[in-house]
Each structure stands twice: as C-alpha cells, then as structure tokens.
Amino acid sequence: MGMRVARLPVALLVLVCSLLLLVPLGVSAHAGVVATDPVDGARLPASPPVVSVTFNEPVTLAPGGLRVVKPDGSLADVGDEVDTGTVVSQAIEPLPDGWYVMAWSIVSEDGHVVHGSATFAVGDADAAARPQPSITPSSLETALWLARGLADLALLAGAGALFAWVALGARTRRVALLPRIALAVAAIGGSAWLLVEASDAGSAWLSTGYALSAITRLALVLLAVGSLLVRPARERLALLSSLLAVATLAVGGHAAGSPLTSVTLVIHLLAGVTWLGAAPAVALMLWDRSVPDQPDALGVVRGFSRTATLTLFLVILGGSASALLLTDGLASGITTYVWIVLVKLAVVALAALMGALGRRGLTNGAGRRHYRRLFLLDACLLVVVAALSSALTLVGPHGTHAVHGDHQVGSPRCAMAVGETGITVVADPGTPGTNTLTVTGPAATVEGVTLELEHPYAEGAALEVPLTSSHHGWTGAAAMPFTGTWTATVRIRVDTFTEASGSCDLTIAP
C-alpha cells in the first residue's frame, strides 16, 4: 500500500504532462497572418473599396487597428474597422494612382500586440510618385566625378612618369617634375573625394571595404610624394608605392568579393600605367631640346616600344576579362557600362595603332618631330582613358542601378556599424515608389542578411525587404511610398545562433 502511495505523485505528473501535450501548440503562439487583401506588393488596376487581413486565430484590435496610409501620411480609412474574429477589414476611399501601405496593430489571444504591414499599388504607381527625371547631374554626382577622375588621371600619370624614369631612362628635369606634381594632385583629388563620400554617407562608411581601399590608396600616394620630396633619389620606392596605389583601384569597388575579377583588374591597370601612363613623360622628354636625339631621346622611344606589345595585350585582355566577369558574361545585355568599356577598348586600339606607327618610324629613321606628335596624342588618350575608367566606377555593370563602389551615385544612403563591420544601405533612385535597396559590408560567409524599413507614417509596421546576395552586396526591391526619413535596420545572421543588428536613417526625397 505504501508503494502505491509513493507512486501517486509520479502518476499525477505523467497525467499532467500528457494533458499538456494534448493542448494545441497554436494556443501559446502569437497570431499569424494567413492572407492580406490586397496581397503584399500587389499592383491593382483600380482602387479597392475594402482592404482586409486574415489571421490564424481570433484577434482584437489594438490602438491604430487596420489602416491604409497615403503617401502624404494621411489615412484613406472610411468609417471603423470590421472585426469578425479572424478577419479584420477596413473600407477605404477611392485612391488615385500611387503606392500605399496597409498597416495593422492587433492583440492576439495570448495578449501580445502584433504589428504588420503590406504595400500595394494602384494604377501606374511609380509614375505618379516620382517627378520627371532630370538630365542634369546632381552636385554630388558632379563633385564625385571630378574629384575621382582628377585623382585617377593624376595617379596614372604620376606612376607612368616614374616608370618612364626608372625603367625607360627618361631622366630629364621636366620628367622629374611630372611625378611630383601629378602625385600631389592625386593626393589632393583623393582627399577631396574621400571628404565628399564621408560627408554624404556618414562616418560609418569609413569602415567599409571600399573606403578602406581608398584610404590605403591615399596613404600610398602620400608615401610616394614624401619619398620624392624628402629624398629625391628614392624614385624606386615612389614607383612601388604608386603602383600599389594603382592596384588598390581594383579593390573594394565592383570587383569586391571576386578575387579573379580583382586580379584581372590589377593586371589591366598596371599594364595601362606602363602603356599610357608613361606617354606624357616620354612626350615631355621629346619636347626638351636639351636632350639629344641619339642615343637619349630615341633610345627611350625604343625602350617604350619594346614594352608596347606586351602591355597593350594585357590592357585589352585584362579589361575584356574584367568586363565579362563583372557583367556575368553580359547577362544584362549591352548596358551603359558595356558601352563605356567598348569605347575604352576602342581608344586603346587607337593607341595600339599609334604604337605600330611608332615602331615603323623607328625602322625608317623618323625624327623627333614625328614622335612628338605621336606621344602628345598618346598623352591625350591617357586623359580619355582615365575619364572613361572613372565613368566605369560610377555605373553599374548590370545596368540595374548606378553603383559607385559600395553605393549608387546621387542616391540616398546611410551607414551604420554592426559589431565591427561597417554597413552601407542605399536606395536607388531614392524617390517615392519602387526602390532597389543595396546592403554592402557583410562578409560573404554570413548565413543571411535581412533589411527592415520603418517610417513614422506607419509607426510600428516595418516593411521587410527580401535580399539576395550579388556581386555588389545584398540587394532587394521595396515600395517606399513616403518621403522623409526611413529607419533602415540591418540584421546579419552570422551563424545559427548568432545575430547582430544595427540601424541608420535613410532619407527619401520627392
């Protein structure tokens, strides 16, 4: 009898656990959305008279209830919501073309308040939301273009002049001045460009891979300038520093995350230095009457000609391979990026033709005047090639958006720090309506990245943006009907058990 009494608590425990297992699991969970009408992201030909949300269990309305928010922040609601238990509906006024947010706040049976939202479009929503596009570039875009183009052109010219001095023997007073002036201009232009980027994207942008490559490039240029000014005989150190600075142009931009693309771009850039970058230095020497034709002036021309064939081959091979890799084999067709590449290759082909004429002149005994014209034109081609190269950094390879390094030029962006990682969020085009959202900075090894957008007009109802990994980071599309400041929250799932997050403010302009 005593043993039966001792076993009674155990039996009761087993009975209670069995009863608990019979209770449906859904009772303890928050209410979930089964369907929305219109569905999230729907494009409707005409305004719906009623919107509704269906839940998986009976709910009650929280303050705010079910509402439809118009682009100006006002509500389109007509009368009160209708709550039939699992379905909440709201009559709305006739809506003109545009994007709208349906947001809800309900209380589930477990007592928790649940917020949610969905977007839908009426008619030609994007055309109604956005102003007519302007062909006039923004002041930011112009500043970036000029600063980056000036810095790249000066860096190529400075590195090429040092190559001509060290490797080709173009050693005159004028040639000695060229790398000093060019690299100083590269330092000034690079500094100005960094300041514009940092002021536009925020201080957290400075921790992104693209910013770190730019800072490294500026440091290498300053080292080269210092080597020439402090100890003029350190041309080799200056040449090495400037070549490394040129190589950083292939790091952190379009080629980020693709080692093969980075390598092909480095080959392309360094070959460009020895081919087009050295042309201004050789032209300066040919215009210096104190340098005799034989053996000095024409000897340098012969040395330049010997490098021409190999470097030209590498320029064309590296440029073509990089373009194919960056565009995924022309997956998006002939985009603006591809057109710029084709024009750049045509300019290089013109330089090849000039090289052929130069080699022919060497065998025919052409004089200095012949080479002056050729190398002066070659120097002009350097300016064109540098401008086209800068244009390529400002245009997206896939043509879906204009990417500038880690973000789209002229588009609103914000930066944040998630742990020790600098994250940039960009909205393109950054006006009301459908936007392409790009998140850059997370390592390629993370398990996933999510983006949520929240606006004061639909407070508590965050828009979730599905993201997919790409060459440029994590991208997705979302309808952003409202102007003003959106809070962008990025969550990085490092592994199964670890998640880090951060937020920044993203401004959508009319």
Side-chain angles (χ1 to χ4, degrees):
M1 182 69 179
M3 292 181 60
R4 292 180 181 177
V5 173
R7 291 176 180 173
L8 183 59
V10 177
L12 289 175
L13 179 63
V14 172
L15 178 61
V16 170
C17 291
S18 300
L19 291 175
L20 288 175
L21 291 174
L22 294 176
V23 177
L25 295 177
V27 171
S28 62
H30 302 337
V33 176
V34 175
T36 64
D37 185 16
V39 299
D40 188 24
R43 292 176 178 266
L44 308 177
S47 174
V50 177
V51 298
S52 65
V53 183
T54 302
F55 298 91
N56 62 349
E57 65 178 45
V59 298
T60 56
L61 295 173
L66 177 61
R67 58 201 186 277
V68 173
V69 188
K70 296 188 288 187
D72 62 0
S74 61
L75 299 181
D77 303 3
V78 176
D80 297 328
E81 302 97 334
V82 176
D83 182 0
T84 62
T86 59
V87 179
V88 179
S89 59
Q90 171 68 65
I92 59 174
E93 64 187 49
L95 300 174
D97 290 2
W99 280 101
Y100 300 89
V101 173
M102 176 172 55
W104 56 87
S105 300
I106 58 93
V107 180
S108 60
E109 287 195 333
D110 63 358
H112 285 85
V113 178
V114 179
H115 302 282
S117 65
T119 58
F120 66 92
V122 174
D124 194 350
D126 291 334
R130 292 181 181 147
Q132 292 297 318
S134 172
I135 60 174
T136 304
S138 66
S139 57
L140 171 63
E141 185 174 353
T142 302
L144 286 171
W145 187 289
L146 291 177
R148 180 64 188 271
L150 180 64
D152 289 352
L153 173 61
L155 178 57
L156 287 175
L162 286 170
F163 174 79
W165 179 283
V166 174
L168 302 180
R171 303 194 175 191
T172 69
R173 185 174 60 85
R174 293 180 180 179
V175 175
L177 288 174
L178 180 58
R180 292 172 172 80
I181 296 173
L183 292 176
V185 172
I188 295 172
S191 299
W193 173 64
L194 271 173
L195 289 174
V196 171
E197 291 278 24
S199 63
D200 180 62
S203 58
W205 175 80
L206 294 175
S207 62
T208 63
Y210 191 62
L212 290 176
S213 69
I215 294 171
T216 302
R217 179 162 58 254
L218 179 59
L220 289 168
V221 171
L222 292 174
L223 176 60
V225 173
S227 300
L228 294 175
L229 295 180
V230 178
R231 298 187 63 180
R234 302 295 294 273
E235 293 90 356
R236 293 182 183 275
L237 176 59
L239 174 60
L240 177 61
S241 299
S242 60
L243 290 178
L244 289 175
V246 171
T248 62
L249 292 170
V251 179
H254 295 320
S258 176
L260 179 59
T261 307
S262 295
V263 170
T264 57
L265 275 177
V266 168
I267 294 173
H268 173 70
L269 290 166
L270 295 182
V273 166
T274 58
W275 171 252
L276 285 172
V282 179
L284 279 178
M285 192 199 64
L286 289 173
W287 282 84
D288 191 343
R289 296 182 180 276
S290 65
V291 180
D293 287 355
Q294 297 289 353
D296 296 339
L298 296 184
V300 170
V301 172
R302 290 188 179 90
F304 183 88
S305 179
R306 283 193 294 268
T307 65
T309 302
L310 176 60
T311 55
L312 179 62
F313 173 76
L314 292 176
V315 167
I316 295 177
L317 178 64
S320 301
S322 299
L324 288 174
L325 289 171
L326 287 170
T327 58
D328 295 328
L330 303 180
S332 300
I334 306 300
T335 62
T336 301
Y337 183 91
V338 175
W339 276 115
I340 296 176
V341 170
L342 292 175
V343 173
K344 182 178 176 179
L345 291 177
V347 174
V348 175
L350 177 59
L353 177 61
M354 291 170 49
L357 293 175
R359 288 191 297 274
R360 182 179 178 182
L362 286 172
T363 59
N364 295 336
R368 178 181 297 214
R369 180 176 298 180
H370 172 75
Y371 293 110
R372 283 177 180 172
R373 292 194 296 267
L374 284 178
F375 278 93
L376 185 60
L377 180 57
D378 215 1
C380 294
L381 292 179
L382 168 63
V383 177
V384 176
V385 170
L388 293 172
S389 299
S390 295
L392 290 174
T393 67
L394 302 175
V395 178
H398 299 283
T400 56
H401 50 266
V403 177
H404 175 57
D406 286 343
H407 59 267
Q408 294 92 309
V409 173
S411 298
R413 65 197 61 84
C414 66
M416 72 190 77
V418 178
E420 297 181 354
T421 304
I423 305 297
T424 303
V425 181
V426 189
D428 178 37
T431 54
T434 304
N435 281 267
T436 297
L437 282 303
T438 304
V439 178
T440 57
T445 56
V446 302
E447 291 192 359
V449 179
T450 60
L451 173 64
E452 295 178 354
L453 300 172
E454 190 171 354
H455 193 279
Y457 285 172
E459 185 176 0
L463 303 179
E464 296 185 5
V465 184
L467 299 177
T468 56
S469 181
S470 70
H471 280 300
H472 314 298
W474 296 78
T475 60
M480 303 176 70
F482 313 129
T483 59
T485 301
W486 291 73
T487 299
T489 300
V490 175
R491 306 184 191 277
I492 302 175
R493 192 169 64 256
V494 180
D495 53 44
T496 305
F497 305 102
T498 308
E499 182 179 279
S501 63
S503 300
C504 60
D505 292 335
L506 193 63
T507 301
I508 300 299

